[in-house]
Amino acid sequence: MSAMELKNFENQLELLSFTEQLSLMEFLAKLMNRTQKTQTQSASLPNKKRQFGSAKGKFVYPTDFDEDNEEIAQLFGAI
């Protein structure tokens, strides 16, 4: 944020009532708290490499994969 943008922001804050300023500060505090929690959680997760083939046998697709193409095209109005 540039100095000019910051000054403009400060001027806009001064136009708010005390109650509005307080509400804005509470909102910012909650937002900062949520951001800190997210950063802390993501930092604590181990960096795990994905292993090729780890989902083998967990997903089965039909032998004729294109069997329902016409029905799907009709649902989307392509036919």
Side-chain angles (χ1 to χ4, degrees):
M1 179 179 279
S2 71
M4 186 177 220
E5 289 173 327
L6 183 59
K7 188 62 179 168
N8 187 23
F9 183 71
E10 289 173 348
N11 290 340
Q12 290 177 354
L13 282 176
E14 290 174 2
L15 297 175
L16 297 175
S17 69
F18 178 76
T19 307
E20 291 170 326
Q21 289 178 3
L22 187 60
S23 295
L24 183 61
M25 292 298 185
E26 288 173 349
F27 172 76
L28 290 174
K30 287 179 185 177
L31 186 63
M32 288 170 40
N33 189 20
R34 188 175 353 158
T35 304
Q36 287 173 347
K37 284 182 183 178
T38 304
Q39 289 174 349
T40 304
Q41 289 172 353
S42 63
S44 66
L45 295 175
N47 289 336
K48 213 166 111 176
K49 281 193 167 190
R50 292 186 233 162
Q51 184 178 353
F52 184 74
S54 61
K56 189 173 184 176
K58 295 180 182 177
F59 176 75
V60 180
Y61 60 91
T63 53
D64 186 9
F65 185 77
D66 296 323
E67 178 181 8
D68 298 322
N69 282 354
E70 280 189 40
E71 183 181 349
I72 293 170
Q74 287 176 353
L75 290 171
F76 283 99
I79 295 179

